[in-house]
Amino acid sequence: MTADRPARNPFLPLAIDYGPLLVFFVAYYAVPGLALVRMMVATGAFMVAMMAALIASFALFKRVSPMLALTAVLVIVFGGLTLYFRDARFIQMKPTIIYGILSALLGFGLVTGRPLLQMVLGQAYPGLSALGWRKLTINWMLFFAVMAVLNEVVRLNFSADVWVNYKTWGVIPLTLVFALANVPMLTRHGLDLEGKPPAP
């Protein structure tokens, strides 16, 4: 460790990525009244928390990840529409649009031969072969497409309370389980998990 590069707390990126979502959940249930009123307050808190996350990311790491930037833009746009029209459907559609964009981008990269996922996550998967990257890209493309459909199913068929709980306590575990489920495939295609030299 050098003097000008202090050790990085591994929990900070998680706090920046998922902190705004936790703020949304807490604000939604902390405010009494109708579901629409709670959604308005939670949406406003979500927007403020996302701006704080952007500032914290740049201040701590001197960069903002593409995913955080995309999420922040959509939160501000759809959150603003939600507050302006007093219609919770806008903020509820935001995850569908994010997942749809991510799935489409990964699909575009596959069709055009551009390893978009590798460009973003290359350092996180040392040694992974080209075939491994292709399989991982396909898996995440399909996962994001399924998550977009799931969000619409929950949004259109259940109450706001159910949607908020699904968004907070359903999406994160599903994403972590899916990421872990890919590990055996990744190790078969050269992923170095033990500090060994990367596979060819």
Side-chain angles (χ1 to χ4, degrees), residues 21-22 93 121:
L21 182 59
L22 183 60
M93 286 188 294
L121 300 176

Side-chain angles (χ1 to χ4, degrees), residues 47-126:
M47 295 167 68
V48 172
M50 283 303 309
M51 294 301 297
L54 287 175
I55 294 171
S57 180
F58 188 78
L60 293 171
F61 310 129
K62 306 304 180 186
R63 65 183 294 272
V64 175
S65 70
M67 183 63 188
L68 181 61
L70 172 63
T71 301
V73 168
L74 291 179
V75 166
I76 297 303
V77 171
F78 284 88
L81 291 172
T82 294
L83 297 179
Y84 183 79
F85 291 105
R86 298 182 181 277
D87 190 337
R89 289 178 297 177
F90 290 106
I91 197 66
Q92 288 179 303
M93 286 188 294
K94 186 268 299 177
T96 302
I97 294 171
I98 287 181
Y99 293 132
I101 289 174
L102 293 174
S103 183
L105 285 174
L106 294 179
F108 175 78
L110 287 171
V111 171
T112 59
R114 299 175 182 177
L116 300 179
L117 196 64
Q118 185 176 2
M119 292 176 186
V120 176
L121 300 176
Q123 294 181 348
Y125 294 92

Side-chain angles (χ1 to χ4, degrees), residues 3 27 40 46 68 81 83 131 162:
M40 296 300 104
F46 196 20
L68 181 61
L81 291 172
L83 297 179
L131 180 59
V162 172

